[in-house]
Amino acid sequence: MNQESMDGASQPFSSSKNKNSRKPKYSRFTQQELPAWKPILTPGWVITAFVFVGITFIPIGLASLFASERVVEVVDRYDDACVPSTDRNQMLEYIKGSKSNKTCVRTLTVPKKMKSPIYVYYQLDNFYQNHRRYVKSRSDKQLRSTKFESDTKECQPVATEDNKPIVPCGLIAWSLFNDTYGFSAKNEEIKVNKKDIAWKSDKDYKFGDKVYPKNFQNGDLIGGAKLNESIPLSQQEDLIVWMRTAALPTFRKLYGKIEVDLEANEKITVAIQNNYNTYEFGGKKKLVLSTTSWIGGKNDFLGIAYLTIGGLSLFIAIFFILLYIFKPRPLGDPSFLSWNRNPQGH
Protein backbone atom coordinates (compact mmCIF):
# COMPACT_ATOMS: atom_id res chain seq x y z
CA MET A 1 0.00 0.00 0.00
CA ASN A 2 1.46 3.35 -1.02
CA GLN A 3 1.66 6.50 1.09
CA GLU A 4 -1.17 8.22 -0.78
CA SER A 5 -3.65 5.44 -0.04
CA MET A 6 -2.64 5.44 3.63
CA ASP A 7 -3.28 9.17 3.92
CA GLY A 8 -6.66 8.74 2.29
CA ALA A 9 -7.62 5.99 4.71
CA SER A 10 -6.65 8.05 7.75
CA GLN A 11 -8.66 11.13 6.76
CA PRO A 12 -12.14 9.75 7.73
CA PHE A 13 -10.79 8.54 11.05
CA SER A 14 -9.23 11.93 11.81
CA SER A 15 -12.35 13.90 10.89
CA SER A 16 -14.53 11.56 12.96
CA LYS A 17 -12.24 12.00 15.94
CA ASN A 18 -12.38 15.80 15.67
CA LYS A 19 -16.15 15.70 15.33
CA ASN A 20 -16.65 13.67 18.53
CA SER A 21 -14.08 15.55 20.57
CA ARG A 22 -15.27 17.07 23.83
CA LYS A 23 -12.43 19.49 24.04
CA PRO A 24 -13.90 22.98 24.65
CA LYS A 25 -13.21 25.77 22.26
CA TYR A 26 -10.13 27.63 23.31
CA SER A 27 -10.59 31.02 24.92
CA ARG A 28 -8.62 32.98 27.46
CA PHE A 29 -11.66 33.04 29.73
CA THR A 30 -12.17 29.26 29.88
CA GLN A 31 -8.44 28.69 30.29
CA GLN A 32 -8.25 31.33 33.03
CA GLU A 33 -5.61 33.33 31.21
CA LEU A 34 -7.27 36.73 31.59
CA PRO A 35 -5.23 39.40 33.37
CA ALA A 36 -6.06 39.59 37.07
CA TRP A 37 -5.18 41.79 39.98
CA LYS A 38 -3.67 39.79 42.82
CA PRO A 39 -3.12 42.18 45.73
CA ILE A 40 -0.42 41.42 48.24
CA LEU A 41 -1.67 42.22 51.74
CA THR A 42 1.33 44.02 53.12
CA PRO A 43 1.22 45.37 56.70
CA GLY A 44 0.81 48.88 55.33
CA TRP A 45 -2.31 47.98 53.32
CA VAL A 46 -3.89 46.07 56.20
CA ILE A 47 -3.28 48.84 58.73
CA THR A 48 -4.57 51.47 56.29
CA ALA A 49 -7.77 49.48 55.68
CA PHE A 50 -8.53 49.13 59.40
CA VAL A 51 -7.78 52.82 60.06
CA PHE A 52 -10.08 53.83 57.17
CA VAL A 53 -12.94 51.70 58.55
CA GLY A 54 -12.41 53.15 62.02
CA ILE A 55 -12.33 56.83 61.04
CA THR A 56 -15.34 56.31 58.76
CA PHE A 57 -17.59 54.28 61.06
CA ILE A 58 -17.04 56.19 64.31
CA PRO A 59 -18.39 59.55 63.00
CA ILE A 60 -21.35 57.76 61.42
CA GLY A 61 -22.06 56.02 64.73
CA LEU A 62 -21.86 59.28 66.69
CA ALA A 63 -24.16 61.05 64.21
CA SER A 64 -26.67 58.16 64.42
CA LEU A 65 -26.66 58.20 68.22
CA PHE A 66 -27.14 61.98 68.36
CA ALA A 67 -30.02 61.74 65.87
CA SER A 68 -31.63 58.98 67.93
CA GLU A 69 -31.26 61.03 71.12
CA ARG A 70 -33.11 63.95 69.50
CA VAL A 71 -36.15 61.76 68.88
CA VAL A 72 -38.82 62.34 71.52
CA GLU A 73 -40.88 59.28 72.36
CA VAL A 74 -43.76 58.67 74.76
CA VAL A 75 -44.73 55.05 75.46
CA ASP A 76 -47.73 54.06 77.57
CA ARG A 77 -48.76 50.49 78.28
CA TYR A 78 -52.51 50.40 78.86
CA ASP A 79 -53.76 46.82 78.51
CA ASP A 80 -53.70 46.15 82.27
CA ALA A 81 -54.44 49.72 83.37
CA CYS A 82 -57.58 49.88 81.22
CA VAL A 83 -59.22 46.92 82.94
CA PRO A 84 -61.39 47.94 85.94
CA SER A 85 -60.08 46.76 89.28
CA THR A 86 -63.21 44.63 89.76
CA ASP A 87 -62.38 42.66 86.60
CA ARG A 88 -58.65 42.16 87.09
CA ASN A 89 -59.15 38.49 87.94
CA GLN A 90 -61.37 37.86 84.93
CA MET A 91 -59.80 39.90 82.13
CA LEU A 92 -60.84 37.46 79.42
CA GLU A 93 -64.50 37.65 80.37
CA TYR A 94 -64.24 41.44 80.54
CA ILE A 95 -62.76 41.90 77.06
CA LYS A 96 -65.18 39.42 75.48
CA GLY A 97 -68.23 40.89 77.18
CA SER A 98 -70.40 42.97 74.88
CA LYS A 99 -71.96 44.97 77.73
CA SER A 100 -68.82 45.93 79.63
CA ASN A 101 -67.56 49.49 79.31
CA LYS A 102 -64.30 49.45 77.36
CA THR A 103 -63.62 53.21 77.55
CA CYS A 104 -60.40 54.12 79.31
CA VAL A 105 -58.88 57.56 79.92
CA ARG A 106 -55.12 57.93 80.17
CA THR A 107 -52.99 61.03 80.77
CA LEU A 108 -49.62 61.39 79.06
CA THR A 109 -46.94 63.97 79.87
CA VAL A 110 -44.78 65.27 77.04
CA PRO A 111 -41.14 65.14 78.27
CA LYS A 112 -39.73 67.51 75.59
CA LYS A 113 -41.20 69.64 72.86
CA MET A 114 -42.44 67.42 70.06
CA LYS A 115 -42.47 69.02 66.64
CA SER A 116 -44.99 67.92 64.06
CA PRO A 117 -45.56 65.55 62.46
CA ILE A 118 -45.90 63.35 65.53
CA TYR A 119 -46.49 59.71 64.66
CA VAL A 120 -49.01 57.69 66.64
CA TYR A 121 -48.31 53.95 66.81
CA TYR A 122 -49.88 51.01 68.55
CA GLN A 123 -47.43 48.39 69.77
CA LEU A 124 -48.27 44.73 70.36
CA ASP A 125 -46.03 42.33 72.29
CA ASN A 126 -46.12 38.53 72.07
CA PHE A 127 -48.21 38.62 68.89
CA TYR A 128 -46.73 36.26 66.30
CA GLN A 129 -47.83 37.67 62.96
CA ASN A 130 -45.00 35.68 61.39
CA HIS A 131 -46.64 32.32 62.14
CA ARG A 132 -46.69 30.34 58.89
CA ARG A 133 -50.39 29.45 59.05
CA TYR A 134 -51.31 33.03 59.88
CA VAL A 135 -49.18 34.56 57.10
CA LYS A 136 -50.61 32.23 54.46
CA SER A 137 -54.23 32.88 55.46
CA ARG A 138 -55.01 35.53 52.84
CA SER A 139 -55.90 35.87 49.16
CA ASP A 140 -53.85 38.48 47.34
CA LYS A 141 -55.84 37.94 44.14
CA GLN A 142 -59.10 38.63 45.96
CA LEU A 143 -57.67 41.83 47.45
CA ARG A 144 -56.72 43.13 43.99
CA SER A 145 -59.68 42.30 41.77
CA THR A 146 -63.39 41.47 41.90
CA LYS A 147 -62.75 38.67 39.38
CA PHE A 148 -61.23 36.59 42.16
CA GLU A 149 -63.85 37.27 44.83
CA SER A 150 -64.40 33.53 45.33
CA ASP A 151 -60.70 32.69 45.50
CA THR A 152 -60.67 31.81 49.20
CA LYS A 153 -58.95 28.41 49.23
CA GLU A 154 -55.93 29.80 51.13
CA CYS A 155 -58.08 31.67 53.66
CA GLN A 156 -59.29 28.86 55.88
CA PRO A 157 -60.66 28.92 58.52
CA VAL A 158 -62.04 32.39 57.68
CA ALA A 159 -63.07 31.88 54.04
CA THR A 160 -66.86 31.89 53.73
CA GLU A 161 -69.95 32.88 55.69
CA ASP A 162 -73.28 31.21 54.81
CA ASN A 163 -71.57 29.76 51.72
CA LYS A 164 -70.69 33.26 50.52
CA PRO A 165 -67.06 34.45 50.20
CA ILE A 166 -65.74 36.79 52.86
CA VAL A 167 -63.98 39.86 51.46
CA PRO A 168 -61.28 40.29 52.66
CA CYS A 169 -60.86 36.68 53.73
CA GLY A 170 -58.26 35.08 55.98
CA LEU A 171 -56.97 35.26 59.53
CA ILE A 172 -54.90 38.40 59.00
CA ALA A 173 -57.85 40.57 57.99
CA TRP A 174 -60.13 38.86 60.54
CA SER A 175 -57.78 39.81 63.41
CA LEU A 176 -57.61 43.51 62.43
CA PHE A 177 -56.65 45.74 65.37
CA ASN A 178 -59.69 47.62 66.68
CA ASP A 179 -58.60 49.77 69.62
CA THR A 180 -59.22 53.47 69.00
CA TYR A 181 -57.59 56.60 70.43
CA GLY A 182 -58.90 60.13 70.90
CA PHE A 183 -56.53 62.92 71.94
CA SER A 184 -57.14 66.25 73.64
CA ALA A 185 -55.12 68.92 75.43
CA LYS A 186 -56.38 71.91 77.43
CA ASN A 187 -59.97 70.84 76.65
CA GLU A 188 -59.30 71.05 72.92
CA GLU A 189 -59.38 68.08 70.58
CA ILE A 190 -56.16 67.07 68.88
CA LYS A 191 -56.99 65.67 65.49
CA VAL A 192 -55.23 62.57 64.19
CA ASN A 193 -54.67 62.43 60.45
CA LYS A 194 -55.15 58.87 59.18
CA LYS A 195 -54.44 59.69 55.54
CA ASP A 196 -51.34 58.32 53.83
CA ILE A 197 -50.35 56.03 56.69
CA ALA A 198 -50.02 53.04 54.33
CA TRP A 199 -47.42 52.45 51.65
CA LYS A 200 -48.39 53.99 48.32
CA SER A 201 -47.33 50.83 46.48
CA ASP A 202 -49.70 48.77 48.63
CA LYS A 203 -52.62 51.09 47.94
CA ASP A 204 -51.95 51.26 44.21
CA TYR A 205 -51.08 47.66 43.42
CA LYS A 206 -52.10 45.27 46.23
CA PHE A 207 -55.60 46.51 47.10
CA GLY A 208 -58.18 47.15 44.39
CA ASP A 209 -60.16 50.38 44.15
CA LYS A 210 -63.22 48.39 43.03
CA VAL A 211 -63.03 45.72 45.73
CA TYR A 212 -65.42 46.34 48.62
CA PRO A 213 -65.78 44.43 51.92
CA LYS A 214 -68.48 41.73 51.94
CA ASN A 215 -69.67 39.43 54.73
CA PHE A 216 -66.78 40.67 56.87
CA GLN A 217 -67.04 40.01 60.63
CA ASN A 218 -70.65 38.82 60.21
CA GLY A 219 -70.14 35.48 61.93
CA ASP A 220 -70.59 34.50 65.55
CA LEU A 221 -66.89 34.80 66.32
CA ILE A 222 -65.64 38.37 65.86
CA GLY A 223 -61.88 38.70 65.53
CA GLY A 224 -61.26 42.44 65.39
CA ALA A 225 -62.38 45.64 63.70
CA LYS A 226 -65.20 45.86 61.17
CA LEU A 227 -64.86 47.56 57.79
CA ASN A 228 -67.06 50.12 56.08
CA GLU A 229 -68.64 48.28 53.16
CA SER A 230 -69.07 51.50 51.17
CA ILE A 231 -65.32 52.21 51.04
CA PRO A 232 -63.03 50.23 48.68
CA LEU A 233 -60.12 48.29 50.14
CA SER A 234 -57.60 50.65 48.52
CA GLN A 235 -58.84 53.40 50.87
CA GLN A 236 -59.04 51.28 54.03
CA GLU A 237 -55.60 52.29 55.23
CA ASP A 238 -55.88 50.75 58.71
CA LEU A 239 -56.45 47.39 57.03
CA ILE A 240 -53.58 47.91 54.57
CA VAL A 241 -51.16 48.74 57.40
CA TRP A 242 -52.30 45.68 59.37
CA MET A 243 -52.03 43.33 56.39
CA ARG A 244 -48.29 44.05 56.06
CA THR A 245 -47.35 41.40 58.62
CA ALA A 246 -44.51 41.91 61.09
CA ALA A 247 -41.43 39.68 61.25
CA LEU A 248 -41.04 39.76 65.05
CA PRO A 249 -43.50 39.15 67.91
CA THR A 250 -43.07 42.71 69.19
CA PHE A 251 -44.00 45.28 66.57
CA ARG A 252 -45.43 48.75 66.00
CA LYS A 253 -47.92 49.81 63.37
CA LEU A 254 -48.81 53.33 62.36
CA TYR A 255 -52.20 54.53 63.61
CA GLY A 256 -52.05 58.13 62.40
CA LYS A 257 -50.24 61.47 62.56
CA ILE A 258 -50.68 64.48 64.84
CA GLU A 259 -49.91 67.60 62.82
CA VAL A 260 -49.51 70.15 65.62
CA ASP A 261 -46.58 70.72 67.96
CA LEU A 262 -46.80 69.49 71.55
CA GLU A 263 -45.03 71.57 74.18
CA ALA A 264 -42.79 70.24 76.93
CA ASN A 265 -44.61 69.13 80.12
CA GLU A 266 -47.95 69.41 78.33
CA LYS A 267 -50.64 67.01 79.56
CA ILE A 268 -52.31 64.96 76.85
CA THR A 269 -55.59 63.21 77.61
CA VAL A 270 -56.19 60.02 75.65
CA ALA A 271 -59.59 58.37 75.45
CA ILE A 272 -58.99 54.72 74.58
CA GLN A 273 -61.53 52.16 73.45
CA ASN A 274 -59.93 49.01 74.81
CA ASN A 275 -61.47 46.45 72.44
CA TYR A 276 -58.63 44.28 71.19
CA ASN A 277 -58.19 40.94 72.94
CA THR A 278 -54.54 40.34 73.84
CA TYR A 279 -55.36 38.81 77.22
CA GLU A 280 -56.02 35.37 75.77
CA PHE A 281 -52.41 34.89 74.67
CA GLY A 282 -50.61 37.00 77.27
CA GLY A 283 -49.97 39.92 74.92
CA LYS A 284 -49.35 43.56 75.77
CA LYS A 285 -50.69 46.76 74.21
CA LYS A 286 -48.87 50.07 74.18
CA LEU A 287 -49.61 53.50 72.77
CA VAL A 288 -46.57 55.27 71.31
CA LEU A 289 -46.13 58.93 70.32
CA SER A 290 -42.88 59.61 68.50
CA THR A 291 -41.09 62.18 66.40
CA THR A 292 -38.54 61.19 63.76
CA SER A 293 -35.05 62.09 62.61
CA TRP A 294 -33.05 61.47 59.44
CA ILE A 295 -32.54 57.84 60.49
CA GLY A 296 -36.19 57.28 61.42
CA GLY A 297 -37.52 56.67 64.91
CA LYS A 298 -35.66 56.19 68.19
CA ASN A 299 -33.15 53.38 67.75
CA ASP A 300 -29.71 53.32 69.39
CA PHE A 301 -28.67 49.98 67.87
CA LEU A 302 -27.41 51.41 64.57
CA GLY A 303 -25.17 53.98 66.26
CA ILE A 304 -23.82 51.47 68.77
CA ALA A 305 -23.08 48.97 65.99
CA TYR A 306 -21.13 51.55 63.96
CA LEU A 307 -19.17 52.67 67.04
CA THR A 308 -18.37 49.08 68.01
CA ILE A 309 -17.07 48.14 64.56
CA GLY A 310 -15.15 51.41 64.21
CA GLY A 311 -13.59 51.04 67.65
CA LEU A 312 -12.56 47.43 67.03
CA SER A 313 -11.02 48.41 63.69
CA LEU A 314 -8.92 51.15 65.27
CA PHE A 315 -7.85 48.81 68.08
CA ILE A 316 -6.73 46.16 65.56
CA ALA A 317 -4.92 48.82 63.51
CA ILE A 318 -3.01 50.04 66.59
CA PHE A 319 -2.18 46.44 67.54
CA PHE A 320 -0.76 45.74 64.06
CA ILE A 321 1.24 48.98 64.13
CA LEU A 322 2.87 48.05 67.46
CA LEU A 323 3.50 44.52 66.21
CA TYR A 324 5.12 45.85 63.05
CA ILE A 325 7.32 48.25 65.03
CA PHE A 326 8.51 45.93 67.80
CA LYS A 327 8.53 42.63 65.92
CA PRO A 328 8.96 43.40 62.23
CA ARG A 329 9.02 40.67 59.65
CA PRO A 330 10.59 41.16 56.19
CA LEU A 331 8.12 40.65 53.36
CA GLY A 332 8.70 37.39 51.48
CA ASP A 333 11.38 36.03 53.84
CA PRO A 334 11.55 32.26 53.09
CA SER A 335 13.12 31.50 56.46
CA PHE A 336 9.64 31.72 58.02
CA LEU A 337 8.33 28.84 55.91
CA SER A 338 7.82 25.66 57.93
CA TRP A 339 9.19 23.35 55.23
CA ASN A 340 12.42 25.37 55.15
CA ARG A 341 13.26 24.75 58.77
CA ASN A 342 15.42 21.83 59.93
CA PRO A 343 13.77 19.57 62.52
CA GLN A 344 15.44 19.46 65.92
CA GLY A 345 18.09 16.80 66.21
CA HIS A 346 18.86 16.63 62.48
Side-chain angles (χ1 to χ4, degrees), residues 11-125:
Q11 284 179 1
F13 176 77
S14 177
S15 61
S16 175
K17 183 178 179 181
N18 291 336
K19 184 177 180 181
N20 296 328
S21 175
R22 295 187 179 182
K23 182 179 178 180
K25 185 179 179 180
Y26 173 80
S27 72
R28 298 184 69 188
F29 176 77
T30 58
Q31 296 302 316
Q32 299 184 18
E33 294 178 356
L34 292 174
W37 180 53
K38 300 176 181 178
I40 299 175
L41 295 178
T42 62
W45 275 107
V46 173
I47 292 170
T48 302
F50 278 114
V51 170
F52 176 77
V53 172
I55 64 177
T56 303
F57 277 43
I58 288 177
I60 295 175
L62 291 173
S64 300
L65 275 181
F66 290 148
S68 179
E69 287 298 318
R70 285 197 295 269
V71 173
V72 184
E73 190 175 89
V74 179
V75 181
D76 179 54
R77 180 184 173 184
Y78 65 88
D79 55 288
D80 285 343
C82 283
V83 177
S85 57
T86 54
D87 294 313
R88 293 289 170 85
N89 295 326
Q90 47 184 7
M91 292 184 179
L92 206 55
E93 290 77 7
Y94 162 79
I95 201 68
K96 289 183 176 181
S98 58
K99 296 182 179 180
S100 54
N101 183 15
K102 305 292 197 317
T103 303
C104 172
V105 178
R106 304 282 292 168
T107 301
L108 308 179
T109 302
V110 179
K112 298 178 182 178
K113 182 176 181 178
M114 302 179 75
K115 295 183 178 180
S116 63
I118 301 166
Y119 294 89
V120 181
Y121 301 91
Y122 55 88
Q123 177 176 318
L124 296 180
D125 295 358

Side-chain angles (χ1 to χ4, degrees), residues 242-266:
W242 179 258
M243 293 290 284
R244 181 168 283 275
T245 53
L248 300 175
T250 297
F251 58 87
R252 293 178 181 179
K253 291 188 181 290
L254 186 59
Y255 180 83
K257 293 176 285 187
I258 295 175
E259 297 178 329
V260 295
D261 294 348
L262 299 179
E263 300 298 328
N265 300 317
E266 189 173 359

Side-chain angles (χ1 to χ4, degrees), residues 34-247:
L34 292 174
W37 180 53
K38 300 176 181 178
I40 299 175
L41 295 178
T42 62
W45 275 107
V46 173
I47 292 170
T48 302
F50 278 114
V51 170
F52 176 77
V53 172
I55 64 177
T56 303
F57 277 43
I58 288 177
I60 295 175
L62 291 173
S64 300
L65 275 181
F66 290 148
S68 179
E69 287 298 318
R70 285 197 295 269
V71 173
V72 184
E73 190 175 89
V74 179
V75 181
D76 179 54
R77 180 184 173 184
Y78 65 88
D79 55 288
D80 285 343
C82 283
V83 177
S85 57
T86 54
D87 294 313
R88 293 289 170 85
N89 295 326
Q90 47 184 7
M91 292 184 179
L92 206 55
E93 290 77 7
Y94 162 79
I95 201 68
K96 289 183 176 181
S98 58
K99 296 182 179 180
S100 54
N101 183 15
K102 305 292 197 317
T103 303
C104 172
V105 178
R106 304 282 292 168
T107 301
L108 308 179
T109 302
V110 179
K112 298 178 182 178
K113 182 176 181 178
M114 302 179 75
K115 295 183 178 180
S116 63
I118 301 166
Y119 294 89
V120 181
Y121 301 91
Y122 55 88
Q123 177 176 318
L124 296 180
D125 295 358
N126 201 36
F127 191 113
Y128 288 82
Q129 271 199 321
N130 59 352
H131 191 283
R132 184 171 180 270
R133 186 68 189 90
Y134 184 87
V135 172
K136 287 174 64 68
S137 184
R138 62 185 292 165
S139 174
D140 289 318
K141 291 182 178 179
Q142 185 200 64
L143 296 172
R144 284 194 298 264
S145 174
T146 55
K147 297 179 182 178
F148 302 99
E149 183 176 293
S150 300
D151 185 9
T152 60
K153 59 181 180 297
E154 297 290 341
C155 294
Q156 295 294 342
V158 189
T160 60
E161 181 66 34
D162 295 331
N163 295 322
K164 296 179 181 179
I166 297 174
V167 183
C169 66
L171 286 171
I172 306 177
W174 176 79
S175 60
L176 175 61
F177 188 78
N178 62 342
D179 282 6
T180 60
Y181 311 112
F183 297 87
S184 61
K186 300 176 182 177
N187 296 321
E188 293 185 3
E189 180 187 4
I190 300 175
K191 294 183 178 180
V192 178
N193 183 7
K194 298 179 72 67
K195 294 284 187 180
D196 298 325
I197 60 173
W199 290 20
K200 187 177 185 301
S201 58
D202 287 356
K203 293 189 291 183
D204 292 344
Y205 302 110
K206 291 188 176 182
F207 294 81
D209 57 0
K210 295 181 181 179
V211 182
Y212 292 82
K214 293 181 181 179
N215 305 313
F216 188 72
Q217 304 285 24
N218 289 342
D220 297 331
L221 187 61
I222 305 299
K226 295 189 176 183
L227 297 175
N228 190 334
E229 295 189 356
S230 64
I231 300 177
L233 295 186
S234 61
Q235 297 179 24
Q236 308 256 14
E237 297 200 41
D238 284 326
L239 173 69
I240 297 173
V241 170
W242 179 258
M243 293 290 284
R244 181 168 283 275
T245 53

Side-chain angles (χ1 to χ4, degrees), residues 67 70-72 115 117 119 121 290-298:
R70 285 197 295 269
V71 173
V72 184
K115 295 183 178 180
Y119 294 89
Y121 301 91
S290 177
T291 59
T292 57
S293 66
W294 61 270
I295 60 168
K298 193 174 186 65

